[in-house]
Each structure stands twice: as C-alpha cells, then as structure tokens.
C-alpha cells in the first residue's frame, strides 16, 4: 500500500511532502490527475489537461460540478466501497467538459496511508474514453437494431405459410423455416446439413432439384418450377418453387436460396374454372339451339304476326328467368318449387294467390331438367291465360308433385275454367310439351283435355345434381 509518513512529525511537512509527490505524479502522467480528501468530501487539486476544469484550491461541490447527474449515484457507491475496503477506486462515468459538453472518463484512484494505517488522502488519474464509449454506444444501438430486425425477419419467416430454405453448393440444407419443417415432420436439428434425399425426397425428386441447383450455380440466374410432394399431415400437395443464387462480394454463387408456395387450392380452382367454362360453353350451345327451335316454330309461316312476336318474347323471358335461378346456384341445379314459382310469376295478376296452388316437396333438379320444366310451365300458363282456367274470373290452376323412389310425378290441373276440347291442330306449344319436353326429360308427358279443364302430367326419374 502507498504510505504517507509524517516528515519530522510536522503536519506542514507532511503536506509539503504530499504536494511534492503529487507534482511528480502530475509530471509523470498524461491523463487528468487529482487529489482527494480521505473521505472524498473535497477535491484538493485537479489538473484537467484541458478536458475538464482545473481545481487549484479545495472544492467540496466537485460531484455536482463535474459528474453527470445520472452517473452520480453509482460514482458515490464506488467511492463508498473503496473507502470501506481501503482498496483502489475505479469507475467509468460521464463528466462535464470545459466546453460544457458531456464526456466520458475512466477514473482510478489509490489511497495513501499514514503511519497508523489510516487513509491520509487519494491520488487519482482519469483517462478520456469519450471516443471509445461513443463507439461502444453506437455499436450497442446498431446491435440492438440488428437484433430487432433479426427477430422481425425470423418472426416473418416463421409465420409465413410459404416454405423458405437455403442450400450450400453441395446440396445440403443450411436453413429451413417452420413451415418446411412441418411439411417434412422433422426438427431443425434433424434437417440442417442434410441433402434432399436424406430428408425424405424421392430419388427422382432429389436428383431434379440437384440438377436445378447446378444450373443456378452455372448461370447465376434463378429458376422456377412446379412439383407435387407429400405433406406430412395434409397428404399430396402441389407446389410452385423458385431457386435464386446468393452472390458474394466477388460475384460468385455462395449459396442458393429457395421459396416454395403451396398452390394446391389454386390448381383445384383453375381446374374447377376450366370445367365451368366447358360446361358453360355446352349450356350456351344448348340454349342457342333451344332459341333457334323456338324461333323456327314461332315464326313458321307467320313471321309478321304480332301474336307470334309476343309468344316468342314470352318464351325467351321464361328461359331468361330460369337462367336467373340457376345462376344463383352457380348452375349446379335449382329447387323445383323455385322453378315453378319463377316460371309462373309473369302470369301473376294480383289474384293468383287464390287461383294458383303450388304443392310438393323440395327437390333440386339438374340445370337441363330445370330449363325444360320451366319452358313447359310457361307454355301451360300461356295457354291457360288465352283459352283455359285463367281466361275467366273463376278458373284455378293446381300444380302438385310427388317423388317416390326417385320417380317424379308432376301434375298441372286446371279447374273451373271454360269447357275444354282437344285442339284439331297441334301448335308449337303442344309439340314442345309432348315431344320436346319428353325428349329433354327422358320421361313421359301426357296432355288430357278434360271438359273440366286441361290436365298435364309429367313422369320422369330424377337424380341429385352433379
């Protein structure tokens, strides 16, 4: 331990000796140097070297004058520990510099002891470490930001359902995200450093990707493909993938990064759309053929007749109405009750609630059957308005159907209308019902011209729409 002996027993002599030793200490050091009282209550002398303000006479307010406020508590704690243990004081802290700015110092002080072993005073030196601390703080901020970005990227990579991975140039996996590990049913430790075939790829599949990796390395260009692969829990899936080169500073391929997206649902949707388009083309052709038939029959030999044009327009409207019903169900079929109501709605004069009865179980019909029944009901309703039950004020129409073991029996019955007799000539409506409808439905259609009113029955097998 450095000692401070009494020269000749005189306090003045001891003080002169202490000052002389401090002068020597100042001359030997390039750092800031200072003398402190035994209890650090006052600073006796300070050579600030232009970094901090000099002290030529004792100052008791040195902590407030020199130490940055936020650092004062831990400086005091270090002082208390050094005094209590009679050991070296050492702490890094901020100070107020001569120009009023904040700087950093590494401050160290050693106690000097008298003959009784008590602390007589402290000699200290302080180094300017501002630049180092600023660099450390900048590095800490940069490290913190990098850690934040790393956590953000890792969170993003872990959260995405896409497969993200990387290979070295020898086809070994160097990274695999959570989605890929889930697809394999493996842990990261079981996967890193493994080749494709070692994590469960079929030989043809592994060889294909290895050829693609070679191509990416040779061309330094990305490559894209599509392949099927079994998922550990979801079964066979279809994937779209991209391999991209990762270049070093010299422009050489260092590794290969890859992303893969599950496009199974997209491919299924595309296939469904293709089938829908083909079905739509087929239905449009059938519809055009129906319109051609309606036009040919309506205008045959009577093209200029206003009644013919009205009949033609009515039939097209009926066709359009049932198309509306089918569109609501994406042309997958239509409910028979809705088809009946829609086909007869144009004939509602405000009194049909009392003059029309519709009764029967719900049943979904195929689009082609729905169109045929709607056209048939339109013809029957048109005939009822012109000649049948709806041509007077009292006539009624009942539309009822039953389904038994897949057999549909639908009956149109007119009552309380004018007396009915079978027509001498069959018009288009009659031919549409007896021939066209029966052919479209692959069933049997009968027209019974009873004196009390027309009765039309339709019998056919029905099945659920595809």
């Amino acid at each position: 331990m450095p000692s401070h002996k009494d020269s000749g027993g005189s306090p003045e002599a001891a003080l002169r000796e202490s000052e002389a030793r401090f002068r020597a200490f100042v001359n030997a050091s390039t750092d800031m140097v200072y003398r402190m009282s035994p209890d650090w209550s006052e600073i006796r002398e300070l050579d600030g070297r232009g970094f901090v303000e000099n002290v030529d006479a004792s100052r008791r307010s040195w902590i407030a004058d020199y130490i940055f406020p936020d650092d004062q508590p831990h400086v005091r704690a270090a002082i208390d520990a050094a005094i209590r243990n009679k050991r070296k004081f050492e702490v890094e802290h901020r100070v107020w510099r001569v120009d009023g700015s904040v700087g950093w110092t590494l401050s160290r002080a050693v106690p000097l002891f008298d003959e009784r072993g008590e602390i007589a005073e402290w000699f200290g030196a302080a180094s300017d470490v501002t630049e180092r601390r600023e660099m450390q703080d900048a590095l800490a901020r940069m490290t913190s930001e990098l850690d934040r970005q790393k956590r953000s990227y890792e969170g993003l990579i872990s959260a995405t359902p896409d497969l993200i991975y990387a290979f070295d140039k020898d086809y070994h996996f160097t990274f695999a995200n959570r989605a890929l590990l889930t697809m394999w049913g493996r842990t990261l430790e079981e996967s890193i450093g493994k080749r494709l075939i070692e994590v469960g790829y079929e030989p043809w599949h592994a060889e294909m990707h290895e050829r693609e990796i070679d191509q990416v390395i040779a061309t330094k260009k990305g490559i894209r493909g599509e392949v099927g692969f079994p998922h550990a829990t979801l079964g066979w899936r279809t994937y779209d993938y991209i391999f991209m080169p990762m270049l070093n500073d010299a422009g050489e391929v260092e590794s290969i990064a890859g992303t893969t997206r599950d496009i199974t649902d997209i491919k299924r949707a595309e296939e469904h759309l293709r089938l829908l388009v083909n079905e739509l083309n087929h239905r449009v052709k059938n519809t055009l053929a129906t319109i051609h038939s309606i036009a040919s029959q309506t205008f045959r030999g009577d093209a200029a007749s206003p009644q013919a044009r009205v009949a033609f327009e009515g039939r097209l409207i009926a066709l359009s109405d049932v198309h509306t019903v089918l569109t609501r169900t994406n042309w997958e079929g239509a409910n028979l009750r809705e088809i009946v109501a829609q086909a007869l709605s144009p004939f509602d004069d405000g009194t049909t609630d009392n003059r029309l009865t519709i009764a029967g179980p719900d049943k979904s019909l195929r689009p082609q059957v729905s169109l045929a029944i709607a056209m048939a009901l339109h013809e029957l309703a048109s005939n009822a308005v012109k000649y049948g039950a709806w041509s007077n004020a009292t006539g009624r129409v009942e539309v009822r159907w039953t389904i038994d073991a897949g057999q549909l029996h639908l009956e149109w019955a007119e009552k309380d209308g004018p007396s009915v007799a079978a027509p001498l000539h069959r018009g288009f409506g009659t031919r549409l019902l007896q021939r066209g409808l029966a052919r479209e439905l692959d069933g049997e259609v009968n027209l019974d011209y009873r004196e009390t009113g027309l009765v039309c029955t339709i019998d056919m097998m029905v099945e659920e729409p595809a």
Side-chain angles (χ1 to χ4, degrees):
M1 290 183 185
S3 63
H4 182 48
K5 294 184 179 180
D6 188 348
S7 297
S10 166
E12 291 78 6
L15 179 60
R16 285 194 299 273
E17 180 184 346
S18 178
E19 289 175 348
R21 294 180 66 181
F22 185 69
R23 296 278 78 76
F25 183 43
V26 170
N27 293 333
S29 176
T30 58
D31 290 336
M32 296 166 276
V33 292
Y34 56 89
R35 294 169 62 201
M36 305 297 300
S37 64
D39 61 358
W40 288 66
S41 61
E42 61 179 353
I43 186 168
R44 291 175 171 172
E45 195 171 350
L46 167 63
D47 187 335
R49 308 291 189 183
F51 185 75
V52 296
E53 181 186 357
N54 292 338
V55 173
D56 297 323
S58 293
R59 182 184 295 187
R60 302 187 69 86
S61 61
W62 68 272
I63 286 186
D65 294 342
Y66 288 97
I67 310 300
F68 191 74
D70 290 351
D71 293 354
Q72 291 177 16
H74 81 266
V75 171
R76 290 183 184 276
I79 291 171
D80 292 342
I83 293 173
R84 184 172 57 253
N85 299 318
K86 297 182 179 181
R87 297 289 180 88
K88 182 177 68 173
F89 163 83
E90 182 172 352
V91 68
E92 233 174 63
H93 60 86
R94 285 168 290 184
V95 295
W96 294 112
R97 296 198 284 197
V98 172
D99 61 4
S101 63
V102 177
W104 280 90
T105 66
L106 171 58
S107 184
R108 295 153 297 190
V110 294
L112 277 69
F113 298 92
D114 60 20
E115 292 180 340
R116 299 185 306 275
E118 298 299 325
I119 298 174
E121 64 180 337
W122 297 77
F123 279 7
S127 305
D128 178 2
V129 295
T130 305
E131 185 176 353
R132 173 174 63 77
R133 283 302 302 245
E134 288 177 346
M135 291 179 63
Q136 285 178 338
D137 290 346
L139 180 61
R141 289 192 298 271
M142 186 181 301
T143 302
S144 177
E145 176 62 17
L146 290 174
D147 287 342
R148 186 194 65 78
Q149 292 183 6
K150 181 174 179 287
R151 289 192 301 271
S152 177
Y153 295 148
E154 288 177 345
L156 177 64
I157 290 172
S158 297
T160 179
D162 292 348
L163 315 179
I164 301 176
Y165 45 91
F167 301 102
D168 63 20
K169 293 194 289 185
D170 294 322
Y171 322 121
H172 298 102
F173 279 99
T174 58
F175 175 78
N177 74 334
R178 184 184 303 165
L180 181 57
L181 296 173
T182 300
M183 187 194 78
W184 289 338
R186 302 170 65 93
T187 66
L188 186 64
E189 291 73 18
E190 294 171 336
S191 308
I192 297 303
K194 300 295 194 303
R195 296 175 65 160
L196 289 152
I197 199 163
E198 295 177 289
V199 293
Y201 285 65
E202 294 290 334
W204 67 268
H205 195 173
E207 291 170 4
M208 178 186 76
H209 283 330
E210 289 177 0
R211 288 195 304 271
E212 291 169 335
I213 290 171
D214 290 339
Q215 182 179 336
V216 171
I217 295 172
T219 63
K220 299 181 182 178
K221 295 181 180 179
I223 191 169
R224 185 169 190 167
E226 186 178 301
V227 69
F229 191 84
H231 191 285
T233 58
L234 301 178
W236 190 264
R237 311 292 288 178
T238 303
Y239 295 96
D240 173 83
Y241 63 90
I242 300 174
F243 290 170
M244 294 296 294
M246 304 297 290
L247 307 179
N248 58 23
D249 293 340
E252 298 300 320
V253 177
E254 195 169 60
S255 60
I256 298 87
T259 60
T260 298
R261 173 163 293 183
D262 187 338
I263 58 170
T264 307
D265 293 339
I266 295 175
K267 299 296 287 186
R268 288 172 179 169
E270 289 175 350
E271 178 64 16
H272 182 61
L273 180 60
R274 186 185 65 79
L275 293 174
L276 285 178
V277 170
N278 290 340
E279 179 67 17
L280 180 61
N281 288 334
H282 174 70
R283 287 169 180 165
V284 167
K285 290 178 182 178
N286 285 345
T287 301
L288 291 174
T290 301
I291 293 173
H292 179 267
S293 176
I294 291 172
S296 297
Q297 295 291 339
T298 302
F299 297 118
R300 180 180 296 169
D302 196 15
S305 168
Q307 292 83 1
R309 283 195 290 273
V310 170
F312 180 66
E313 290 173 359
R315 288 160 182 162
L316 288 185
I317 290 172
L319 194 63
S320 173
D321 288 343
V322 74
H323 272 246
T324 299
V325 174
L326 289 168
T327 300
R328 286 201 296 268
T329 60
N330 295 320
W331 277 80
E332 294 178 354
N335 186 279
L336 177 55
R337 180 180 295 277
E338 189 173 6
I339 288 295
V340 173
Q342 187 72 43
L344 299 180
S345 63
F347 302 93
D348 182 2
D349 61 358
T351 64
T352 52
D353 284 346
N354 299 321
R355 303 181 67 191
L356 173 64
T357 300
I358 298 175
D362 288 339
K363 179 65 180 176
S364 186
L365 302 179
R366 290 180 290 110
Q368 200 64 28
V369 173
S370 300
L371 287 169
I373 289 179
M375 291 299 296
L377 292 173
H378 174 80
E379 292 300 322
L380 290 167
S382 298
N383 184 73
V385 169
K386 293 177 183 177
Y387 314 111
W390 286 340
S391 65
N392 65 14
T394 58
R396 295 179 295 111
V397 173
E398 294 181 356
V399 183
R400 300 179 184 274
W401 64 90
T402 59
I403 300 172
D404 184 17
Q407 179 76 26
L408 170 66
H409 174 78
L410 185 146
E411 181 179 280
W412 169 284
E414 299 183 26
K415 300 178 180 180
D416 300 331
S419 297
V420 174
L424 297 176
H425 302 287
R426 286 197 233 174
F428 171 66
T430 303
R431 291 195 299 274
L432 174 69
L433 291 168
Q434 289 188 309
R435 295 182 183 175
L437 180 60
R439 184 173 61 252
E440 287 288 344
L441 300 179
D442 192 21
E444 185 176 345
V445 179
N446 291 309
L447 294 176
D448 185 357
Y449 295 93
R450 300 176 187 175
E451 185 176 352
T452 55
L454 174 65
V455 176
C456 175
T457 58
I458 300 172
D459 291 281
M460 60 175 291
M461 293 298 296
V462 291
E463 57 187 38
E464 292 297 330

